[in-house]
Amino acid sequence: DAGVTQSPTHLIKTRGQQVTLRCSPKSGHDTVSWYQQALGQGPQFIFQYYEEEERQRGNFPDRFSGHQFPNYSSELNVNALLLGDSALYLCASSPLGAKNIQYFGAGTRLSVL
Amino acid sequence: GENVEQHPSTLSVQEGDSAVIKCTYSDSASNYFPWYKQELGKGPQLIIDIRSNVGEKKDQRIAVTLNKTAKHFSLHITETQPEDSAVYFCAADDSSYKLIFGSGTRLLVRP
């Protein structure tokens, strides 16, 4: 049984560009949450998707947006990249009826130059 | 909103000794408290969790305790092994399914 998979593993962008990160949840999971983890810090909640809609959002600007597809996979989009967006972006999936039990993928390391 | 504080930031123990990591939370409505282990280059791995209707939970060498009155919860690792070396994060669910994480504890187990 595959765990949470994220792609790509690493990404380098320049300021002002746009980026799309992808996440496939564990089999049987219907909820996807996205987190940003800066170096040396704990993950910070960006938003959560289930039933193809954004249900919860953390303190992140509108430059951060997402989508969930009918197969429960998800994308995170960041527009107008800033140097401060450099971080590890983590996706977590949750099983049916247990949205707070979250299993994380290995993340996408984004570097903005 | 919820705030989670974690101590210590670094912890060095001899192999075979016990390690204890402590967290406090601010929102009395929080009812779910997971612990994650993060190794270098990997995502956080859920190692144990506890709900607010339980005071203690054990899984082999790992245990978690919760004091709702004091808003404290702790991770206890007994008989530590070098492979326990990693960064450990506590978290609290703010009752809306968002996890609020502590700042992490870097555990080093010396052989």
Side-chain angles (χ1 to χ4, degrees):
Chain A
D1 178 26
V4 179
T5 58
Q6 293 187 243
S7 63
T9 54
H10 295 87
L11 205 50
I12 299 174
K13 292 287 188 179
T14 57
R15 279 182 299 174
Q17 286 189 312
Q18 179 264 343
V19 68
T20 297
L21 311 181
R22 296 176 175 82
C23 172
S24 292
K26 288 184 69 167
S27 176
H29 288 194
D30 67 340
T31 299
V32 172
S33 304
W34 287 92
Y35 290 80
Q36 180 194 67
Q37 186 177 25
L39 203 60
Q41 297 182 21
Q44 286 200 314
F45 178 83
I46 302 175
F47 41 53
Q48 184 178 81
Y49 278 83
Y50 61 94
E51 295 180 349
E52 301 180 48
E53 289 191 18
E54 181 181 300
R55 302 292 181 170
Q56 297 288 342
R57 189 176 183 92
N59 189 25
F60 280 80
D62 292 345
R63 298 187 297 108
F64 290 77
S65 63
H67 189 77
Q68 185 179 37
F69 300 93
N71 66 353
Y72 308 120
S73 67
S74 178
E75 288 182 349
L76 164 65
N77 301 291
V78 187
N79 294 323
L81 284 167
L82 304 174
L83 295 179
D85 294 331
S86 295
L88 180 67
Y89 288 85
L90 295 162
C91 169
S93 72
S94 305
L96 290 165
K99 291 177 177 50
N100 52 8
I101 301 177
Q102 299 182 11
Y103 297 90
F104 284 84
T108 294
R109 172 72 62 187
L110 173 64
S111 298
V112 182
L113 305 179
Chain B
E2 175 67 279
N3 183 53
V4 177
E5 294 191 357
Q6 183 172 347
H7 300 281
S9 56
T10 59
L11 181 59
S12 180
V13 300
Q14 195 69 37
E15 181 178 358
D17 288 350
S18 295
V20 180
I21 303 170
K22 298 181 179 182
C23 290
T24 60
Y25 62 99
S26 61
D27 186 353
S28 57
S30 291
N31 57 18
Y32 175 70
F33 306 91
W35 285 88
Y36 288 87
K37 174 184 180 182
Q38 188 172 25
E39 296 173 295
L40 200 61
K42 297 184 178 181
Q45 175 194 0
L46 179 64
I47 56 172
I48 195 168
D49 56 12
I50 191 168
R51 296 192 179 275
S52 58
N53 59 348
V54 174
E56 183 175 0
K57 183 177 179 180
K58 283 186 179 181
D59 183 4
Q60 300 182 344
R61 298 186 296 109
I62 293 174
V64 57
T65 59
L66 172 65
N67 182 328
K68 284 176 53 181
T69 303
K71 297 182 190 171
H72 289 171
F73 58 114
S74 300
L75 177 71
H76 304 252
I77 306 175
T78 58
E79 301 174 17
T80 53
Q81 301 168 3
E83 51 265 39
D84 294 329
S85 296
V87 179
Y88 290 81
F89 291 98
C90 63
D93 170 2
D94 72 349
S95 72
S96 64
Y97 309 123
K98 291 186 293 186
L99 292 182
I100 308 301
F101 283 81
S103 54
T105 296
R106 183 172 301 277
L107 174 64
L108 174 64
V109 180
R110 307 186 306 273

